Amino acid sequence: MKFYIGTDHAGIELKDYTVELLKQKGHEVVDLGPYSKDRVDYPDFAQKVCQSVLEDENSKGILICGTGIGMSMAANKFDGIRAALCHNEYSAAMAREHNDANILCLGERVSGEGMIEAIVKAWQSSSFEGGRHANRVEKINKLGS
Ligand code: RB5
């Protein structure tokens, strides 16, 4: 699987850690920044990751900020993006299995490294179940259009 990842300054400590976790699992990871700890605006990096995911079929995205809230709000403005803010591995697995979430949002100030590792492992190893969930996801996709 190919992953695009982006953060703001409040999520940058976890970015390298998360990139390494994904690479260890054999995934390709594209780091869309930022590349320093200077203050930045999270919507700018949400936009980079969302546009890349939308243009690259079968890829997924990870967005990290302090809480994960701003990133999830920004990402869900994009038609075709289903971003899920997850604080535990159960939510991460369900976001893939039931909601076909294509972006995982994480909060560096909320979740520590151990929980982030569990969340990322659950996320990357889970797949959309389809079936009864497919119709619901299709209804999400049609909302607002
Ligand atoms: C930055 O201070 C912080 O507001 C941001 O990282 C994020 O938590 C917003 O939702």
Side-chain angles (χ1 to χ4, degrees):
M1 172 68 63
K2 184 169 177 184
F3 287 89
Y4 292 93
I5 189 166
T7 72
D8 70 355
H9 52 284
I12 199 158
E13 299 281 350
L14 275 182
K15 178 156 64 69
D16 291 347
Y17 180 76
T18 305
V19 167
E20 209 39 53
L21 282 176
L22 291 168
K23 284 186 174 168
Q24 277 170 16
K25 293 282 174 193
H27 300 296
E28 182 185 351
V29 188
V30 181
D31 180 353
L32 295 176
Y35 310 110
S36 81
K37 290 183 180 175
D38 294 347
R39 287 183 185 277
V40 293
D41 297 329
Y42 55 82
D44 297 336
F45 291 87
Q47 181 176 28
K48 286 175 197 280
V49 169
C50 290
Q51 282 175 343
S52 297
V53 168
L54 289 170
E55 284 165 12
D56 189 353
E57 209 182 339
N58 296 321
S59 70
K60 297 213 172 358
I62 295 191
L63 288 167
I64 311 170
C65 64
T67 59
I69 295 170
M71 283 296 197
S72 62
M73 286 180 169
N76 279 312
K77 300 287 282 185
F78 287 81
D79 200 8
I81 292 295
R82 292 174 302 284
L85 171 56
C86 296
H87 296 309
N88 56 63
E89 62 266 54
Y90 177 73
S91 302
M94 287 301 106
R96 288 288 309 119
E97 291 173 16
H98 287 195
N99 312 113
D100 199 17
N102 49 8
I103 301 262
L104 171 65
C105 297
L106 301 167
E108 177 177 301
R109 294 174 180 163
V110 181
S111 308
E113 282 192 359
M115 184 52 79
I116 294 285
E117 181 173 349
I119 292 169
V120 170
K121 279 187 177 166
W123 162 265
Q124 58 84 39
S125 64
S126 303
S127 331
F128 184 47
E129 285 178 1
R132 70 186 189 281
H133 304 295
N135 182 44
R136 296 164 186 164
V137 169
E138 210 32 59
K139 286 189 175 183
I140 292 177
N141 292 341
K142 285 186 182 148
L143 287 174
S145 62

